[in-house]
Amino acid sequence: MVIKEAKFLMSNTDWQKCPKPVLPEYAFIGRSNVGKSSLINMLTERRALAKVSGTPGKTLLINHFGINNEWYLADLPGYGYAKVSKTLRTKFQNFTLQYLHHRPNLMCTFVLIDSRIKPQKIDIEFMEYCGEKKIPFVIIFTKMDKLNQREKIENIEKYKETMSEQWASFPPMFLSSSEKGTGREDILGFIEETNALFHN
Ligand code: GTP
Ligand code: MG
């Protein structure tokens, strides 16, 4: 897919005020600092479309971007940073969950996982929640450039092992590096194929 146009549309906390759901949409979610905004910039080949920061918690709203007038991309706030609390409802902002439940054109949620660290409870919980609520998702492992060959294999294997405790089969998984552009073709290819399934 060639990205001819990528533009910021709006920021929101209310799913009802998001852009009209006339195009297929993909949401990017994951723990703070996992590399959501960097991945969005890498995919769109725009250096500063989404704000990148070394400080966790940069993205606090649902940010919508319009790509090629063909699809929407939503950058969601990171979870598991600002509030350490017991219930899922407060761990993931309520408005983010509302968005995931109600957005009719949401084709798929990309759950970003930092490839360097061992499986985190909060990510596993979030995917479990998506499974229960029938929110479609795939996994994108980020920051692969920080791993050597052996770690790449080991860490992904470890992840699959942990997931297999709860899942009979795995969702699609993509390996990415925003530094190196790894995974770009595969992820955009997936979006292109999925766009074809959208019926307005
Ligand atoms: P919040 O908006 O705070 O939730 O963070 P985010 O998930 O959007 O992360 P962001 O893209 O801002 O990146 C966080 C930090 O990780 C920044 O310092 C990035 O430069 C770094 N980073 C992101 N992706 C990569 C990657 O693929 N490789 C490397 N080496 N660093 C990365
Ligand atoms: Mg961000």
Side-chain angles (χ1 to χ4, degrees):
M1 186 194 300
V2 179
I3 307 295
K4 294 176 292 243
E5 188 186 47
K7 59 181 178 197
F8 172 75
L9 299 175
M10 60 169 85
S11 295
N12 253 302
T13 54
D14 182 350
W15 64 272
Q16 296 184 72
K17 293 184 186 148
C18 289
K20 268 192 165 182
V22 292
L23 296 174
E25 179 159 315
Y26 302 86
F28 288 65
I29 198 166
R31 293 167 66 234
S32 265
N33 225 35
V34 67
K36 294 176 295 295
S37 300
S38 303
L39 182 68
I40 289 167
N41 292 337
M42 184 271 266
L43 292 175
T44 55
E45 290 180 313
R46 303 298 190 274
R47 215 173 271 254
L49 189 64
K51 289 200 184 75
V52 172
S53 163
T55 319
K58 186 78 185 167
T59 308
L60 297 170
L61 301 166
I62 301 169
N63 296 305
H64 271 86
F65 302 90
I67 315 293
N68 293 351
N69 284 322
E70 276 170 13
W71 52 283
Y72 293 131
L73 190 161
D75 187 12
L76 302 180
Y79 52 69
Y81 168 73
K83 291 187 188 114
V84 183
S85 53
K86 290 178 196 80
T87 64
L88 199 71
R89 211 162 232 281
T90 44
K91 265 185 209 163
F92 307 100
Q93 285 104 326
N94 195 31
F95 71 82
T96 306
L97 296 183
Q98 291 300 318
Y99 160 86
L100 290 170
H101 281 291
H102 295 293
R103 191 75 177 144
N105 57 335
L106 183 64
M107 303 299 279
C108 189
T109 302
F110 293 107
V111 181
L112 274 62
I113 303 285
D114 190 330
S115 62
R116 299 171 302 175
I117 56 178
K118 65 176 201 291
Q120 301 288 302
K121 198 167 163 235
I122 194 156
D123 293 319
I124 300 290
E125 263 177 30
F126 178 71
M127 291 188 275
E128 220 177 284
Y129 180 83
C130 288
E132 275 167 25
K133 304 291 181 191
K134 310 244 179 310
I135 298 166
F137 70 94
V138 302
I139 292 178
I140 300 185
F141 290 101
T142 63
K143 309 192 187 184
M144 292 299 288
D145 58 282
K146 295 226 178 179
L147 302 184
N148 64 35
Q149 199 52 37
R150 182 181 54 81
E151 290 168 327
K152 280 179 191 166
I153 297 167
E154 277 181 12
N155 291 11
I156 306 300
E157 271 317 302
K158 174 80 192 136
Y159 217 90
K160 287 184 172 167
E161 214 178 284
T162 303
M163 281 198 81
S164 62
E165 290 166 16
Q166 273 149 356
W167 297 84
S169 60
F170 302 123
M173 294 181 181
F174 298 97
L175 311 184
S176 81
S177 159
S178 299
E179 290 277 312
K180 303 247 188 272
T182 314
R184 186 171 183 272
E185 293 301 312
D186 289 346
I187 296 165
L188 290 178
F190 173 83
I191 291 173
E192 197 161 24
E193 280 170 27
T194 310
N195 279 347
L197 307 174
F198 180 72
H199 298 291
N200 189 11

